[in-house]
Structure formats: structure tokens, C-alpha cells
Amino acid sequence: MKSYILKNGLVNLKNLFMSNDNKDNKPHDKVRQQQDAAANVLRQKLIHLYNNEPEAGEELAKVKELHKKHSGLSKHQKYMEDLSKSGRSLAEIQKAWHDYYQKLPDKEKHEVWQEFYEQHAKRRRQQVEKPAEKIVHKVEEKHKEREQENKAARQPSTVSAKRKLLEKVAARARRNQKKSPAHALLFGLGMGTLFVFIILFSFFNERFITPFIRPNQNVSATPIIIDPTQAGKISKAPKIIIPKLNVEVPVVYGINALDEDAVQKGLEHGVVHYSITPNPGEKGNAVIVGHSSSNILNSGKYKFAFLLLKSLEKGDLFYVQKDGKRYVYKVFNKFITSPTDLSVLNPTDRVATVTLITCDPPGLSINRMIVQGEQIYPDPKKDKAGSVDVTTQAKPAELGGNSISLWQRIKNWF
């Protein structure tokens, strides 16, 4: 502000003097007096301005700043530097600087003030520029941070993926906590029912499942059954055919009836003829044993051979083939007895018969279902005598039954 007043005051003073010189020698006295008064005001302002030198403290700060920047010092600044190194107090430095300044001509005083204003202007520019630089720097840092966040969002790290997974698990846990006790009760009942079903299927399927399974063997000899005299087309494979039950299964011969394990092994391949009884086509009572049902997890495909044996009634026919011959039997007796009733192995009051034995009820070995048929074709009177006499043979402890259940197998393992 002082520089501005100084500059403009000098210009105005110069213009004033020039205007006075250009006027004629007879100016108006009043105008002349006004011009002199204005000039005197400017002179007083300039004198006052130059009489007050810059503060010594500010000059010292300016000198130190210039030293830091390795800039050259003016004559006045060099004088101030010498004062600062003289060891004087600030008051003594201020007085010495005042005396020095007062002795300077006006031109050099003007130089001192110019240096003072330039230094202040430079400081103001720095004060304006530094905040601007800081703002730009902060904007750039914010932009870099935003770019890094966008990059992390596009390529999620392992930590963020883990955090998201934990958040999902926590949300699911909160949803589960909100469920009513009825859900837990229904879940428990469902699991309990499934468990019971598995137990029944695994250990007791002979009783609860297999009785509803019907055998599906095809009777390939149905036309011959209608006319059993067509012996020329009879297969040599031993088998039993029960048209009413749609059953046609092999008959296994040569099994030791006293060895229950051997009997059970033979039942995997069909139904078993008791070797202690006569063969079909011989006089006497031939005995054939078959499964009504067995554990479906057991081996063999004839577990249900005699499942529907109880459906036979008196007068129904069944056929036994052996050695290329077919023997026709008519049912005359059906009853249920205990497994230890070995009398069913003995001859009947008929010439030639076949006794069919299976477990009852299906799937359990509690009782035995007995179906007896007498031979009606060919004429039984022409049959040869039986090859064995059952009355003289050793007999098993009980009649053949179902194979052991899965539960019994597990008990045997332990």
C-alpha cells in the first residue's frame, strides 16, 4: 500500500509541477494556492512514509529466508545480517537499523521498501499456492484410492470372499433361529420315520415287504399243460410248473436234507427235493421245499417261488418234470403245521404223491404251509417202487424254512 501511495504521489507531484511550468505567468492566485496546498500534502505523505523504516524483526526474517534459498543479499540486507550476528539485543538492533535507515538517501530508502514489498508479495503467493497444491494432492490421492477400491470390487480378494461367505452363513443362521418350533418338530418326525423305515426294510423286509411281491416266472409250457400227453416236447430240465400261480421254477435234486446250510444254498437256485423221500414218478411221497419269501438282500432269484402257495385249492393241478417226463398232480390236501411236524415226510394213503412245503406267514419261519397233490398222470400204479424208504432214514430237526434274516446275520457276526 505504501509503494502504491509513493508511486502515485510522485507521479501526481510531477504532473502538478509540470502543469505549473506550462501555465502562463499570470495564473489565477486562487488556483495557484490550491495547487501548492496539494503539493504540500503529497510532500508530507512522502516524508512520513520514508521516515518510518520497515521493522527490524521483519527484515531479519527476510534475511534468514534469503539465506536458506542461497540467494544474494542486497547492501541493506547485508547490513541487517551483520547486525544479527553482532550479538546485540533486538532493541539495540532496532535502534541501529533506524539510524542506518535515516541516513540513507531517498532512493535507497525506496529500495529498502521495494525489497520489503517484494518479499511480502512472494510470501502471499506462497500462502495461496501451497493450499492449492495441497488440495490438488488430496484430490489425486482420493482418485487413486477410488481406483483401488474399484479394482478390488472387480477382483475380490480372498479376505473379501471369506467375509461374504461368513455374512451368508450368519444370515442363514439368523433365518434358522426365526423358524418356529413346529419346523423342528416336523423335521424330527420326518427323520424318525425315515429311520424306522430303514430299520424295517433292513431287518424285517421278509415280513412287511416281500409278501406283496408276486413271482413273475413265465409258463412256457402252457399249451402242453392243457394236453400233458404230448410228451415228445418236454424239456429234460427238472422243474415244477404251477399254472394257477404262474410259477415255473427249477427243482434241485441231490441235496442232503439233514444239512440245512446245503438246503439253503440249493434254494438259491430253485426249489429243493428232499433226498430222504422218493423222486417224482416213484411210489411214495416226494417232498419239495421252497421259499415263500426271503430277505431281498440275500442272493438267489427264487426267494418268492412258493409265495402264493396258499392260493392253491383242492382240485388245482401242478406239474413236475424229471428226466424228460411230465407228472401231473391234483391237490387233495392243504393245511398249516409246525416246523417240527416231520410226519408230512411220511407216505400218504395215496399211491404216489408230492408234498409242497413253504414257510407261513410269508417272510417268517413260524409255521409251515403244506400242499399235497396225488399223481393223476401217468397212471401211478405203473410207477416203480420208491428208491428210498423215508421211515428208515434219519430226519432233520425241523422242516426247511427261510434263510436267516439280516438281523440274524448281524447277531452272528457279534
Side-chain angles (χ1 to χ4, degrees):
M1 186 67 184
K2 289 181 178 181
S3 176
Y4 174 79
I5 295 171
L6 176 63
K7 182 177 180 181
N8 286 279
L10 292 173
V11 172
N12 293 334
L13 185 61
K14 180 179 178 181
N15 292 336
L16 180 63
F17 291 152
M18 289 177 65
S19 64
N20 289 337
D21 294 340
N22 293 333
K23 289 183 179 292
D24 54 12
N25 295 328
K26 295 180 179 180
H28 296 286
D29 293 338
K30 188 175 181 179
V31 174
R32 187 78 174 183
Q33 291 175 358
Q34 291 177 348
Q35 291 176 346
D36 291 341
N40 289 331
V41 171
L42 289 175
R43 287 190 191 98
Q44 291 298 324
K45 288 184 177 180
L46 291 175
I47 290 170
H48 177 73
L49 176 66
Y50 281 112
N51 285 335
N52 296 326
E53 73 280 358
E55 291 293 332
E58 294 182 357
E59 284 295 312
L60 284 173
K62 179 175 67 175
V63 169
K64 290 180 181 179
E65 184 176 351
L66 291 173
H67 259 297
K68 288 182 181 179
K69 297 184 178 180
H70 307 286
S71 301
L73 299 177
S74 66
K75 180 181 71 172
H76 316 298
Q77 293 167 347
K78 185 70 172 62
Y79 176 77
M80 179 59 69
E81 181 184 25
D82 294 338
L83 283 177
S84 65
K85 294 179 179 179
S86 63
R88 300 180 186 181
S89 66
L90 182 59
E92 293 173 341
I93 292 175
Q94 180 67 40
K95 184 177 183 309
W97 168 249
H98 176 74
D99 295 340
Y100 170 80
Y101 181 80
Q102 293 298 326
K103 294 177 182 180
L104 292 176
D106 291 343
K107 182 178 180 180
E108 291 187 6
K109 287 182 179 180
H110 179 68
E111 289 176 355
V112 171
W113 277 105
Q114 285 295 112
E115 292 175 1
F116 179 79
Y117 289 138
E118 288 177 1
Q119 191 64 23
H120 273 268
K122 188 174 181 179
R123 288 179 181 176
R124 285 196 299 271
R125 287 195 301 271
Q126 290 176 351
Q127 290 174 356
V128 173
E129 290 174 356
K130 285 183 179 179
E133 291 177 356
K134 290 181 179 178
I135 293 173
V136 172
H137 182 66
K138 288 183 179 180
V139 171
E140 290 178 350
E141 288 183 348
K142 196 69 175 179
H143 182 67
K144 289 181 180 179
E145 291 178 357
R146 191 171 299 170
E147 286 184 348
Q148 291 178 354
E149 291 177 356
N150 293 337
K151 186 177 180 180
R154 291 191 297 268
Q155 298 178 353
S157 62
T158 304
V159 176
S160 62
K162 183 178 179 180
R163 182 168 57 253
K164 290 181 179 179
L165 180 60
L166 291 175
E167 289 175 355
K168 289 182 179 179
V169 172
R172 185 174 297 176
R174 288 193 296 270
R175 288 196 300 269
N176 292 337
Q177 290 176 355
K178 293 179 180 178
K179 291 183 178 179
S180 62
H183 288 83
L185 179 61
L186 291 176
F187 177 77
L189 291 175
M191 293 302 295
T193 303
L194 179 62
F195 178 76
V196 171
F197 174 79
I198 293 174
I199 293 296
L200 292 177
F201 179 83
S202 301
F203 302 135
F204 307 108
N205 63 78
E206 297 98 334
R207 180 69 182 93
F208 296 98
I209 299 175
T210 56
F212 300 98
I213 301 176
R214 301 179 66 87
N216 59 353
Q217 287 79 1
N218 294 322
V219 181
S220 60
T222 301
I224 302 174
I225 292 173
I226 296 174
D227 186 2
T229 60
Q230 299 180 9
K233 295 183 180 181
I234 299 173
S235 171
K236 292 184 178 181
K239 64 177 63 177
I240 182 171
I241 302 169
I242 308 176
K244 183 177 181 179
L245 308 183
N246 196 29
V247 168
E248 181 178 349
V249 296
V251 179
V252 181
Y253 292 90
I255 300 296
N256 182 5
L258 303 179
D259 187 350
E260 183 62 21
D261 291 338
V263 173
Q264 294 297 330
K265 199 71 176 176
L267 290 171
E268 295 178 2
H269 306 283
V271 293
V272 172
H273 169 258
Y274 265 17
S275 58
I276 59 175
T277 63
N279 292 317
E282 296 178 347
K283 294 179 180 179
N285 182 32
V287 176
I288 297 176
V289 178
H291 278 316
S292 63
S293 66
S294 179
N295 194 303
I296 63 174
L297 301 179
N298 292 343
S299 58
K301 59 181 181 179
Y302 299 102
K303 295 185 282 288
F304 316 112
F306 284 171
L307 173 63
L308 302 178
L309 193 64
K310 62 181 179 180
S311 300
L312 291 178
E313 302 294 340
K314 290 182 180 181
D316 291 334
L317 301 180
F318 62 90
Y319 307 85
V320 178
Q321 293 181 178
K322 188 177 186 301
D323 300 329
K325 295 182 180 180
R326 177 179 293 115
Y327 303 94
V328 182
Y329 298 87
K330 180 190 291 187
V331 175
F332 70 91
N333 194 17
K334 182 179 76 170
F335 60 94
I336 295 175
T337 188
S338 68
T340 58
D341 183 7
L342 303 181
S343 64
V344 297
L345 303 178
N346 297 329
T348 65
D349 57 356
R350 314 295 171 98
V351 178
T353 60
V354 166
T355 298
L356 307 179
I357 301 175
T358 192
C359 292
D360 187 82
L364 297 178
S365 299
I366 298 174
N367 297 316
R368 299 293 184 267
M369 170 64 66
I370 308 297
V371 175
Q372 293 177 321
E374 61 175 331
Q375 180 179 327
I376 61 173
Y377 181 88
D379 186 356
K381 294 179 181 180
K382 297 180 181 180
D383 290 346
K384 61 183 179 179
S387 56
V388 293
D389 184 1
V390 68
T391 58
T392 62
Q393 299 290 322
K395 296 180 177 62
E398 62 180 36
L399 302 174
N402 286 320
S403 59
I404 61 175
S405 65
L406 181 60
W407 176 247
Q408 290 172 321
R409 291 181 189 273
I410 293 176
K411 286 176 63 178
N412 294 338
W413 290 340
F414 293 98

